[in-house]
Amino acid sequence: MTSTTAEGIRGRAAAGDTVVDVDGVSVTFRSRRVSTPALGAVDLRLRRGEFVTIAGPSGCGKSTLLKVVAGLTAPTTGQVRLRGEPVRGPRQDIGFVFQRAALLEWRNVRANILLQAEMRGMDSATARRRCDELVEMTGLTGFEKAMPHELSGGMQQRVSLCRALLHEPDVLLMDEPFGALDALTRERMNTELHRIWRETGVSVLLVTHSVAEAVYLANRVVVMGPRPGTIIEELHVDLPAERDYGETVRHAEFGRVSGRVRELLGSPGGD
């Protein structure tokens, strides 16, 4: 990415300003016979330029919370505001990366990234220029004409990330984006994602089951309890801005925060 583009994003995202407000949001899914509470009353703030990760047990409503923020699921109670405006449906200023890359098999890398531009009616010249910047940033140079089946899982997720960032969203939502990758690839993708976040200044909200991933990536880790999920604790992470993976996982602060997250989740070891 050029410095001009990165500075432009940071110019829109002055540090300390709140970009996402989640106020008393709960979600209950109802059918004819059954009401299933998926998410308890949640209050959460995401500041501009911040990287927040959400950890919690399976089924606690982490993904549901992301979908409410994105405007894909309506809350049963409460409200989400983006830059002070109520979220009442899908937004143009949000990017979303899912666990599966969901690339179109008949489109090459470049065409898959530019699908975002087609859907949003972006200026074609601007979109192509932005696509080139993202391809270079994510290490996809030389693979622009490759088809999805020719790419590894990690490279497919790089394409998905490029697509989500093409329109320069204020907020990037990520739902277990590396959960299907092997451990080594996941570590590399963590390192790349953290670098890309530093370069773009985008505000990120990422859901993960991995304690190590949650702590490595974040400024702040939000821990949720069992369904219906509520936030049981928020932990600030005081690690260096630039993070080598091997050094970071040996850092005392990494150990302190990871230990507390595992304690809250009732998991003394593991990922």
Side-chain angles (χ1 to χ4, degrees):
M1 171 178 278
T2 63
S3 59
T4 301
T5 304
E7 289 169 3
I9 294 174
R10 291 191 181 95
R12 296 202 314 265
D17 294 339
T18 299
V19 61
V20 173
D21 278 306
V22 178
D23 292 317
V25 163
S26 70
V27 175
T28 298
F29 295 112
R30 293 187 172 91
S31 64
R32 288 184 177 180
R33 299 181 180 180
V34 180
S35 292
T36 305
L39 192 66
V42 170
D43 295 299
L44 179 64
R45 305 290 178 269
L46 177 66
R47 290 181 287 274
R48 291 186 180 274
E50 190 177 26
F51 200 128
V52 173
T53 55
I54 303 174
S58 297
C60 73
K62 301 185 300 296
S63 296
T64 298
L65 177 58
L66 279 197
K67 291 175 182 177
V68 172
V69 173
L72 302 177
T73 296
T76 304
T77 65
Q79 185 181 65
V80 175
R81 294 188 300 276
L82 182 58
R83 298 194 317 275
E85 299 176 0
V87 174
R88 296 192 174 96
R91 302 275 306 211
Q92 294 291 321
D93 43 8
I94 286 178
F96 208 128
V97 178
F98 297 90
Q99 182 172 353
R100 297 187 61 185
L103 304 181
L104 299 182
E105 291 295 334
W106 58 91
R107 283 181 171 241
N108 63 26
V109 164
R110 186 176 178 82
N112 263 290
I113 296 170
L114 289 172
L115 176 64
Q116 182 82 269
E118 297 170 23
M119 295 173 62
R120 296 180 181 275
M122 294 175 62
D123 173 74
S124 59
T126 300
R128 288 195 299 270
R129 183 167 58 251
R130 173 69 171 157
C131 178
D132 291 340
E133 293 172 351
L134 290 167
V135 163
E136 181 179 0
M137 181 192 301
T138 56
L140 288 170
T141 302
F143 292 90
E144 294 91 339
K145 295 183 179 180
M147 304 303 287
H149 71 272
E150 298 174 312
L151 304 176
S152 67
M155 293 184 74
Q156 289 184 20
Q157 280 299 66
R158 290 171 192 252
V159 177
S160 180
L161 180 58
C162 289
R163 185 172 59 192
L165 290 171
L166 187 72
H167 61 299
E168 300 187 71
D170 285 336
V171 177
L172 179 64
L173 306 177
M174 308 187 78
D175 189 2
E176 285 280 356
F178 310 134
L181 305 180
D182 64 84
L184 291 177
T185 302
R186 187 168 189 160
E187 288 180 10
R188 287 196 293 270
M189 290 301 296
N190 281 181
T191 302
E192 289 299 303
L193 175 59
H194 200 268
R195 176 183 58 80
I196 291 166
W197 165 69
R198 295 197 313 270
E199 291 185 11
T200 61
V202 66
S203 306
V204 181
L205 194 59
L206 179 144
V207 161
T208 180
H209 283 98
S210 167
V211 174
E213 183 170 83
V215 179
Y216 173 79
L217 289 171
N219 300 129
R220 182 160 48 99
V221 180
V222 173
V223 183
M224 294 181 65
R227 190 181 71 182
T230 57
I231 294 173
I232 56 178
E233 193 164 321
E234 296 187 22
L235 299 160
H236 290 273
V237 182
D238 186 17
L239 286 168
E242 296 189 18
R243 303 177 186 179
D244 172 86
Y245 196 90
E247 292 179 2
T248 299
V249 297
R250 293 191 295 270
H251 197 288
E253 175 71 354
F254 182 90
R256 179 190 72 81
V257 179
S258 297
R260 179 56 179 161
V261 173
R262 290 193 174 96
E263 180 183 357
L264 289 166
L265 295 177
S267 175
D271 194 30

